[in-house]
Amino acid sequence: MKCLNFTLRAFNFRAGLFALLLLVFASSAFAWGSKSKEDDQARVRDSLKTVELKNLQREVDALTRIRLQKADSLEKLEASHWAKRYAESQLTEEHQTETRELDGRYSKLSTDLGRVTEEVMASKDVTNDAEEKAKSDESAYDALHTQIRLSVEKTLGDVTGDYPVGMSDRLVHLKNAQMEADKKNPNTLSVTRAFIEDLLLRHEMTYTQTSGKVVSQVGTRPDVNVNRLRLGTVFLGEVAMDDGTVQALLRTGALQGKVFEWNANLPPELASNVRAAVNAAGSASAENAASAPQVTIPLDVLQNKAVKNSISETKELTTKEKFLDWFHKGGIVMYPLLLAALFAILLCLERFFTLMHRGHLSKRFMKKFEKLLRDARYEEAANLCLKKETSLSMVLFAVVNKADENRDAAEKSLQEALLREQPKLERRMGLLAAVGTIAPLLGLLGTVTGIITLFTVITEVGTNDARVLAGGISEALVTTEAGLVIAIPVMILHGLLSEKIERVVSEMYVQSTALLNRIFHEDKVA
């Protein structure tokens, strides 16, 4: 475009120059006929114009050549432009072709991606379901393991109060199961198997019987060769082979979880029957079992204390033994009740002796004090009161000490003395009343604890005899009885001591007021 503009400007310049030459020639022709001088001048001018014209012609030629060169350049540029346009067209077609190919590939890939996405989502759903199921299974497994572990621990804790035969093997077996259950990666199946095997062995022992010679590892004489007869878990009798000593294992129905207890204090007749039964069972065979002698043995079918109490040798208990037996029936709450009783006794004794000392004045003291008052020897009377150091003497001292002053000073001193001595007399009375209140509450606590223990044992062991429930409740009520036995005397003593304190305080007011009126009777008359 620049070359074209330049060519146009050169063409316009030549046209103007040509017009100028025509004008010059016209002027020369017009002036030729006027004057010669003017002709010469005109020729000079024409020569100059000719020279100028030639110069202009050369410039025009130069410009023409330039125009031609620019035109050639323009043609080349235009050819190059069209070549580029053609190349661009080719590239555009190739780009469009590649774009169409890429669009096709993109569509295919998009379809494949959608299908893969659906497959991935389906796989995620399946994976989430599997994870939820795995978590549910893991939670169920953990719950099962926890339940098994707690069952093993409970059974292990109950073994010591259960049937003693085979107890050591059961303890070892259950302890191994507990150790396996407490591992970081426990084998629940092994723990469950061990627990179920222990239950099956215990169940089998309940419904089987054995007899023969063994080494006793339980009872009152361990490590002794004995003849043993076991009938399930309701009876176990042993006869020592060296001296014929008999001992029997019976159910106790105790509230503290001890279900079985050995008894070696059988009555002679019953011990003889047990000895005969055990020896006969050990020597009997299948042929002569029917002809074996029949004997009576104790079976605690109701699982309570009836058999134990009926077969035990009875003896008269002393008062001390009866008290200890009654005390131990109450359980652990009896110990704080005993401490409360001792503490209440000490408080009552301390208050009694304190009131006897501080709230009483002897007749000898009062005679001497009266004599000093009649002689107006107030200073000696005050010293006499200080030597006695009782509440009443301190109140009298407060009045006598102000005998040389006016009545108002004596009354103020008296009020101070009363306020100082009265709390000393009433000290620890609130604590004694608190002991009397706490004692029945401790008894009620022991009763509630005993009843909870009773129902726990009934839940675990079971009972079909109302006497067991009644006996357990009677034992649980021992603490309530003890609490009331303590609280009633304590409250009575508290009332007596409170009445004694009121009498002493009243005596202090009466004596001090009478003394005040006696010393300052002149002021009163005035």
Side-chain angles (χ1 to χ4, degrees), residues 426-484:
E426 296 176 352
R427 186 181 302 169
R428 300 186 183 90
M429 292 301 295
L431 189 58
L432 183 61
V435 173
T437 306
I438 291 172
L441 295 179
L442 287 174
L444 181 61
L445 174 63
T447 299
V448 173
T449 305
I451 292 177
I452 291 173
T453 305
L454 170 64
F455 282 104
T456 301
V457 173
I458 291 176
T459 302
E460 296 177 355
V461 179
T463 181
N464 52 6
D465 191 354
R467 290 176 296 176
V468 177
L469 182 61
I473 295 176
S474 66
E475 288 188 9
L477 291 175
V478 169
T479 53
T480 300
E481 179 185 8
L484 294 176

Side-chain angles (χ1 to χ4, degrees), residues 230-246:
R230 180 180 64 82
L231 301 178
T233 58
V234 295
F235 174 77
L236 176 62
E238 291 184 350
V239 179
M241 299 178 64
D242 53 358
D243 57 0
T245 303
V246 177

Side-chain angles (χ1 to χ4, degrees), residues 246 267-279 294-298:
V246 177
E269 182 180 357
L270 190 55
S272 177
N273 290 338
V274 172
R275 185 182 299 107
V278 172
N279 293 332
Q294 295 183 359
V295 295
T296 302
I297 59 175

Side-chain angles (χ1 to χ4, degrees), residues 33 45 65 86 111 142 177 247 280 282 341 355 379 387-388 407:
R45 286 195 298 271
R65 287 193 300 271
Y86 179 76
T111 303
D142 292 339
Q247 62 178 359
L355 293 176
E379 185 176 356
K387 291 179 181 180
K388 192 64 178 176
R407 185 182 180 90

